[in-house]
Amino acid sequence: MTERRRALPAVGTVIERPGIQALATRWTRTLVTEAVRGIIAAARTGGPLPSDDANWAMAIDARLAEQTRPSLRPAINATGVVLHTNLGRAPLARAALDAIGAIAHGASTLEYDPEAGVRGSRHTHAARLLCDLTGADDAIVVNNCAAGLVLALQALAAGRETVVSRGELVEIGGSFRVPEIMEASGTTLVEVGTTNRTHADDYRRAIGPRTAAIVKVHRSNFAIEGFVAEASVRDLRPIAQDAGIPLIHDFGSGLMLDLSPWGLTGEVTVPETVRDGADLIIMSGDKLLGGPQAGIVLGTRDTIGALRRHPLARALRVDKLTIAALEATLGLYRDPARARREIPALAMLTESPAAIRARAEGIVATVASGAVAPCESTVGGGAFPTARIPSFAVTLVDDIVAVERRLRHGAIPVVGRLADGRLWLDLRSVPPEDDAVLVAMLREALGPGGR
Ligand SMILES: *Cc1c(COP(=O)(O)O)cnc(C)c1O
């Protein structure tokens, strides 16, 4: 220890070296000084001490790169959960990225009508396309699905009662609990039915003079089996109509296309649920729709009008980048085959197991490590909670706890899953364009240079 301490250089002498001075042009002198101080402090407690200028430069670079990197960074989702809320849900299509770039760099027609030369409304942009694609009369886009529900209940049911099934008072994703969101929206919950069975008559009996709305919540992330019954949107529609109150459908997923040819069955699509006739349908933009985070609210002209006029609409409105990405994503749905190919969430969910296997074999050959094994992916956010999609993974067996950790700690974190004594990197949730990055990160984590 004494030997070591004696060998530590002074900060000043390190930063005066020519090889280190050059770094100040890339970073700043202050940052370089701080980094040198940090490295020397770490060496005092046993950390590595660079031996020459080149090593100092590398150590300083590495330290500053880590210190100055953004908190929100790209990552690789190799969990096999395609729409992973913690990993940012849907990756955007190229068309959506281009649209964001085109709108972000300068002025735009966000609230300006260039034909008429007058002020316009940001609410008009995606609305027309949403109506064309879904058959809805009108639409408004807000921050996320939760915001859509808050706005709907505030505008239509605040200070009065909302009827909801006990089987639908669920938690969906982090911190979205249907009963809590509803209460926070100023409406009083009237629970009907039981956890496993709720009938149309339960709703009918609960409706009274203070009832403002019926809410129907989609079963997004769980399934119940056995002695079960629920009233569908179609069952509830005449009940709401007779009572003269809106039927609000918290639909969640935003599934636009029938994915049953790819084995994903049992969920209705947005156009189908629009035909079922709820007054309002609320869904996320970044789940199966495959677009940016947004809350899309479809409905009748009257109900959407009421939402648009509510003061909260201003607080929950989306920014121009979201509108740009959403409009571009929706535009792809004009041609369903194109949407399926170009919207990454859909491309991932429908990629053939054979194609995934070939990618996995390529990666294993390139890194000369691991093996290819079959596995099952899941959809994640918003729909098909029980679906298991055949897939393939790159699997590793040696020193997996350390490798898993190094993969997470890399410049681009790779998130896989540890199970059955192996580390699984399921390629279904990795866009094929990211395979090269995954290889680079794997090399770093596996190689002797990996930290
Ligand atoms: C995912 C989901 C939500 C929450 O959506 P966010 O866009 O995350 O606010 C609400 N309701 C249902 C039915 C969902 O599936």
Side-chain angles (χ1 to χ4, degrees):
M1 194 64 202
T2 328
E3 282 304 301
R4 209 183 156 97
R5 190 165 295 167
R6 199 174 299 140
L8 292 177
V11 175
T13 63
V14 176
I15 55 171
E16 292 315 323
R17 295 189 200 172
I20 309 305
Q21 290 234 307
L23 285 178
T25 57
R26 187 137 65 85
W27 304 102
T28 64
R29 203 177 152 81
T30 316
L31 280 174
V32 172
T33 307
E34 272 171 24
V36 170
R37 192 170 287 133
I39 292 166
I40 293 173
R44 196 165 287 137
T45 56
L49 190 65
S51 52
D52 56 18
D53 276 17
N55 277 323
W56 267 108
M58 254 161 48
I60 293 166
D61 256 344
R63 198 178 173 90
L64 290 178
E66 197 171 312
Q67 259 174 27
T68 56
R69 75 187 177 196
S71 164
L72 177 61
R73 287 177 284 150
I76 291 194
N77 170 12
T79 61
V81 180
V82 174
L83 294 164
H84 199 302
T85 297
N86 304 148
L87 297 174
R89 289 196 188 154
L92 292 181
R94 174 47 53 193
L97 300 177
D98 291 347
I100 289 176
I103 293 305
H105 96 278
S108 64
T109 59
L110 181 62
E111 292 184 352
Y112 183 71
D113 178 346
E115 271 90 64
V118 296
R119 186 182 169 164
S121 161
R122 76 175 63 211
H123 292 306
T124 57
H125 297 293
R128 208 165 309 147
L129 194 44
L130 278 168
C131 295
D132 286 352
L133 292 169
T134 64
D137 288 341
D138 206 352
I140 180 172
V141 181
V142 290
N143 247 311
N144 52 28
C145 188
L149 188 58
V150 168
L151 178 59
L153 291 173
Q154 279 281 357
L156 305 175
R160 291 189 292 152
E161 294 175 353
T162 300
V163 181
V164 64
S165 162
R166 290 198 173 86
E168 296 171 9
L169 296 176
V170 296
E171 178 171 309
I172 304 167
S175 68
F176 183 101
R177 287 183 161 179
V178 172
E180 288 172 6
I181 289 275
M182 290 180 66
E183 299 269 359
S185 308
T187 190
T188 305
L189 249 69
V190 175
E191 302 173 16
V192 297
T194 60
T195 303
N196 59 328
R197 289 173 73 84
T198 304
H199 308 279
D201 266 346
D202 295 326
Y203 290 88
R204 204 174 275 123
R205 276 198 298 272
I207 291 173
R210 286 183 34 78
T211 310
I214 297 176
V215 167
K216 170 84 190 152
V217 185
H218 181 252
R219 204 166 287 146
S220 291
N221 57 355
F222 70 105
I224 59 169
E225 280 184 16
F227 190 55
V228 298
E230 69 174 310
S232 68
V233 170
R234 263 192 248 176
D235 299 332
L236 295 176
R237 184 187 168 174
I239 298 173
Q241 263 173 353
D242 288 349
I245 55 174
L247 171 59
I248 300 170
H249 186 196
D250 179 7
F251 179 64
S253 83
L255 173 69
M256 295 284 289
L257 302 179
D258 174 19
L259 297 180
S260 58
W262 291 274
L264 291 165
T265 57
E267 295 273 0
V268 293
T269 63
V270 178
E272 282 166 355
T273 197
V274 166
R275 284 199 290 278
D276 286 342
D279 296 278
L280 281 183
I281 298 160
I282 310 169
M283 59 203 185
S284 302
D286 54 353
K287 291 182 177 173
L288 281 165
L289 191 120
Q293 179 190 306
I296 296 166
V297 189
L298 306 173
T300 55
R301 236 174 271 287
D302 282 355
T303 46
I304 296 292
L307 267 54
R308 219 177 261 144
R309 285 190 301 275
H310 193 276
L312 258 189
R314 171 65 178 77
L316 302 176
R317 74 183 190 184
V318 282
D319 76 315
K320 61 190 177 185
L321 305 187
T322 301
I323 296 171
L326 182 62
E327 212 180 354
T329 305
L330 292 169
L332 295 171
Y333 281 102
R334 289 196 179 103
D335 174 357
R338 182 164 181 220
R340 214 247 329 140
R341 281 194 313 270
E342 294 188 20
I343 294 176
L346 301 179
M348 289 176 183
L349 288 169
T350 60
E351 187 175 5
S352 76
I356 297 175
R357 176 183 208 151
R359 289 169 52 205
E361 283 166 352
I363 290 172
V364 165
T366 312
V367 299
S369 228
V372 177
C375 63
E376 288 180 329
S377 319
T378 56
V379 176
F384 305 109
T386 59
R388 296 291 173 270
I389 316 167
S391 184
F392 282 91
V394 172
T395 65
L396 300 160
V397 289
D398 294 331
D399 200 18
I400 51 172
V401 172
V403 171
E404 190 268 348
R405 185 180 170 281
R406 286 200 293 264
L407 280 171
R408 279 190 286 108
H409 286 235
I412 297 182
V414 176
V415 189
R417 59 171 192 257
L418 289 167
D420 308 323
R422 286 195 263 183
L423 172 59
W424 299 77
L425 304 173
D426 183 341
L427 296 189
R428 181 175 294 284
S429 51
V430 179
E433 309 87 89
D434 284 357
D435 283 359
V437 180
L438 176 56
V439 163
M441 292 300 118
L442 264 173
R443 282 200 167 124
E444 216 174 278
L446 294 167
R451 280 179 305 129

